[in-house]
Amino acid sequence: MAVAVQCIKNGFDLKVSLPLTVAAVAVGLLGVTYFEDHKQRLTTVFVFGILISFALYAALFNEKFKRQCNALLIFCLSFTVKLTYVLGTSVYERQHDVNWFGAPDEAAPGHLGYVAYLFYNHKLYDADYRGISQYCHPPLHHALCAVWINLMNGVFGVDMNKAVESVQILPMFYSLTIIITAYKIFRHFRLDGAALYIPFIITAFHPCFTFLASLVNNDALAWALTMGAVLLTLKWYKEPTLKNIIGIALCIGLGMMAKLSAALIAIPVAIVFLVVLIRSFKKLWKKLLGHFVAFGAVCAPLGLWFPVRGLIRWGIPLTYVQELPEMDQSIKGITFWERITDFSLVQVKNVYENWLWRDEYGEPQGFNEHNPLIAILKNSVFGEFINGNNFATRQYMNKVCAVFFWLAVFIAAVAFVCIITGTIRKGAADRVQKVFLVYTYAFLVGNLYVLSMNYRFVCSMNFRYLMPTVIIGALFLGFELSNAEKSGIAAAKALKICLAPASVVFAVLSSFIYFMVALGE
């Protein structure tokens, strides 16, 4: 495409551009297939993807569409990083509760076991599912995975193991839609220039959306639909049409059908509904009442049918959460108050998440992460599974990761301050929109702290329950950067001067680290 555009720009016709385009594609494909070594293939994908991204940018760039071209470049580079990481990560690597892809006559536990059961039986597990890990989740994501595997294996004849591996295409797609939705939210508030690019770079290259792209569980789909609900709520607030509110209902209902915790977004959305109803009650109450009835008629059945089925048939509580067995990652010996107030420096001596482990004699070593804030700062950039073991032969990477962690902490801290200042100051968003965004942020963070208090394990303090907060924080960063450009105040200009290079370094380090993790040892 880049070759074709450049040929047309320089006056060459299709007869010239078409062979050159085919040749360019052939070179890329041969580069990938030529190497038998997995690391060489990944390197080829990574390097070739970066080159294609810049080639497209150079070919398509137009001053009139400068913003769109810059955003496309950021997105394409982000896609390259995610694709490389997914290709270097198996469905059994760095995953949460996947277990194994079961046999036809087996109700195997875990997310892959759930997918396998739906794939072979074409129906839900028809018994009390509390004894089987992950079957308590609504089935939308797992059913889509089962359909995908059936398409790959049954229609296209792909080997079963490869078909199961290919299911990561779905979470990668969901992760990419989150990046696109974030861009649309930024543009909804007319962010432009540095106020757009800096938040978009931080979002597009944030590691949480990179490792989300490889996760076989239901997180990616649930968050993609949640962010769709956020965008459509902002649109409905500006233009309260039936189309927009049906879109919100579908996003929340289907989000709950992927993972019940998607219902958390319904509370901030309800606040927006209530404000609009109070403001426009005299003129639009009939119209709004119709909207809310339509919303309930679509959202409630989609979101609640699965837990209601469990309640009626087996007496399973609507808010049932699967209990975890006793294990080394338990932090029950520390009170919740001690955990949230402990900021001793020993916890950040290691920038990776701390886990208790046992030596060759079975003796416990190290300690478990226990402060939720410190835990989420760590696993927001490295997840649970990336640590020094990933870089055993590349010790320099530990220093790179340490620099990246503290840079991420700095950006997160600035974003949090911007949320506070942006809520107070006037800006692109009005008071209701700010309340909606801040409440969404607060409900997600509050839910994690409640989860951490009630389920006292290291895994309960995981940033995968908070991923939309990255976008909200980046958005408020954009608000403050936009104010900085308009105000001309020296301190405001300093914010822009500081964050522009920080965001670029953040993107480069994030890409490099996850490329190295994908390569493996």
Side-chain angles (χ1 to χ4, degrees):
M1 184 179 182
V3 173
V5 171
Q6 283 297 328
C7 286
I8 292 169
K9 278 186 176 180
N10 290 281
F12 296 106
D13 60 19
L14 188 64
K15 293 179 181 179
V16 176
S17 65
L18 185 59
L20 288 174
T21 302
V22 172
V25 173
V27 169
L29 292 174
L30 286 172
V32 175
T33 57
Y34 176 78
F35 297 110
E36 293 184 3
D37 183 76
H38 182 62
K39 293 182 180 180
Q40 292 176 325
R41 286 187 175 185
L42 283 180
T43 303
T44 303
V45 170
F46 187 68
V47 173
F48 197 65
I50 292 173
L51 293 176
I52 288 177
S53 298
F54 280 104
L56 278 173
Y57 180 74
L60 300 176
F61 184 82
N62 185 307
E63 190 65 35
K64 184 179 178 181
F65 300 103
K66 179 180 178 180
R67 183 184 68 248
Q68 291 88 337
C69 291
N70 290 340
L72 180 62
L73 174 63
I74 295 168
F75 178 82
C76 288
L77 291 172
S78 169
F79 167 69
T80 297
V81 175
K82 290 172 177 57
L83 176 62
T84 306
Y85 179 71
V86 168
L87 291 175
T89 304
S90 162
V91 292
Y92 299 104
E93 273 185 299
R94 297 183 285 277
Q95 300 286 343
H96 295 275
D97 308 311
V98 300
N99 291 84
W100 66 88
F101 193 81
D105 57 349
E106 178 185 21
H111 290 287
L112 276 182
Y114 195 175
V115 171
Y117 187 88
L118 295 175
F119 172 75
Y120 288 118
N121 296 282
H122 310 293
K123 65 177 183 178
L124 289 172
Y125 183 72
D126 198 26
D128 190 330
Y129 44 75
R130 281 176 285 191
I132 308 178
S133 174
Q134 308 311 318
Y135 281 48
C136 60
H137 288 287
L140 180 59
H141 164 71
H142 305 86
L144 290 173
C145 289
V147 170
W148 177 269
I149 293 171
N150 187 59
L151 181 67
M152 291 295 103
N153 177 256
V155 178
F156 295 111
V158 176
D159 173 77
M160 179 58 79
N161 290 330
K162 291 182 179 179
V164 173
E165 283 289 340
S166 74
V167 84
Q168 286 179 305
I169 290 175
L170 296 179
M172 184 174 71
F173 170 75
Y174 304 146
S175 181
L176 291 170
T177 63
I178 293 172
I179 306 303
I180 295 170
T181 303
Y183 176 78
K184 289 186 175 182
I185 290 172
F186 299 154
R187 286 299 301 149
H188 178 81
F189 292 105
R190 298 291 187 267
L191 296 183
D192 206 350
L196 170 65
Y197 302 136
I198 291 174
F200 191 47
I201 288 171
I202 292 169
T203 302
F205 290 94
H206 199 286
C208 76
F209 298 121
T210 300
F211 60 70
L212 181 70
S214 73
L215 296 184
V216 183
N217 67 6
N218 49 0
D219 285 332
L221 179 56
W223 286 137
L225 290 165
T226 297
M227 291 313 303
V230 171
L231 175 61
L232 288 170
T233 300
L234 293 169
K235 287 186 173 183
W236 182 86
Y237 174 73
K238 184 178 180 180
E239 186 181 359
T241 63
L242 184 62
K243 175 185 174 182
N244 284 336
I245 204 165
I246 291 296
I248 300 168
L250 286 170
C251 283
I252 297 178
L254 292 173
M256 291 173 65
M257 197 170 155
K259 191 171 185 178
L260 282 177
S261 59
L264 287 171
I265 192 63
I267 301 172
V269 168
I271 293 172
V272 176
F273 287 175
L274 182 60
V275 170
V276 173
L277 178 63
I278 293 172
R279 282 183 176 179
S280 309
F281 185 80
K282 291 183 179 180
K283 294 182 179 180
L284 300 175
W285 73 269
K286 289 184 179 179
K287 174 185 175 181
L288 293 174
L289 183 61
H291 282 196
F292 298 152
V293 170
F295 174 86
V298 173
C299 182
L302 286 174
L304 295 174
W305 71 267
F306 184 81
V308 169
R309 169 181 176 266
L311 176 65
I312 293 173
R313 299 193 64 181
W314 304 290
I316 302 172
L318 291 175
T319 56
Y320 171 74
V321 177
Q322 207 145 31
E323 291 288 340
L324 292 174
E326 286 299 322
M327 58 183 81
D328 281 344
Q329 64 158 285
S330 172
I331 47 179
K332 293 180 179 179
I334 311 172
T335 68
F336 185 65
W337 177 252
E338 289 174 326
R339 288 166 52 200
I340 64 175
T341 57
D342 181 9
F343 291 96
S344 53
L345 293 179
V346 68
Q347 295 177 83
V348 292
K349 185 178 180 181
N350 176 20
V351 298
Y352 312 116
E353 194 169 64
N354 290 297
W355 289 71
L356 188 71
W357 56 280
R358 294 184 179 273
D359 61 21
E360 56 185 315
Y361 305 107
E363 295 298 320
Q365 303 291 331
F367 65 94
N368 281 323
E369 210 72 61
H370 55 268
N371 186 311
L373 178 58
I374 294 175
I376 61 176
L377 285 172
K378 290 182 175 183
N379 58 44
S380 67
V381 291
F382 300 123
E384 287 184 7
F385 307 108
I386 296 175
N387 51 52
N389 294 330
N390 295 93
F391 312 115
T393 60
R394 304 185 184 101
Q395 291 298 312
Y396 67 91
M397 285 300 300
N398 291 314
K399 294 181 179 179
V400 173
C401 288
V403 171
F404 180 59
F405 170 75
W406 288 112
L407 177 61
V409 170
F410 166 74
I411 292 173
V414 173
F416 184 74
V417 172
C418 287
I419 290 174
I420 297 172
T421 57
T423 304
I424 299 170
R425 295 175 185 170
K426 291 184 178 180
D430 68 17
R431 186 179 302 174
V432 176
Q433 292 169 320
K434 290 177 181 178
V435 166
F436 168 61
L437 294 165
V438 171
Y439 267 52
T440 300
Y441 187 101
F443 269 92
L444 292 175
V445 174
N447 177 66
L448 180 131
Y449 270 78
V450 171
L451 186 69
S452 173
M453 179 174 61
N454 294 334
Y455 299 92
R456 290 167 288 177
F457 297 90
V458 180
C459 64
S460 298
M461 304 178 293
N462 198 289
F463 195 77
R464 64 193 180 98
Y465 303 122
L466 295 178
M467 290 185 178
T469 60
V470 170
I471 298 169
I472 296 172
L475 176 61
F476 275 87
L477 256 179
F479 289 161
E480 292 303 284
L481 286 166
S482 182
N483 291 335
E485 291 179 351
K486 295 174 183 177
S487 68
I489 300 172
K493 288 183 178 180
L495 177 68
K496 176 181 174 181
I497 293 170
C498 180
L499 283 175
S503 64
V504 173
V505 173
F506 178 86
V508 171
L509 291 180
S510 175
S511 303
F512 179 62
I513 289 169
Y514 276 80
F515 169 63
M516 297 303 286
V517 171
L519 285 183
E521 287 300 321

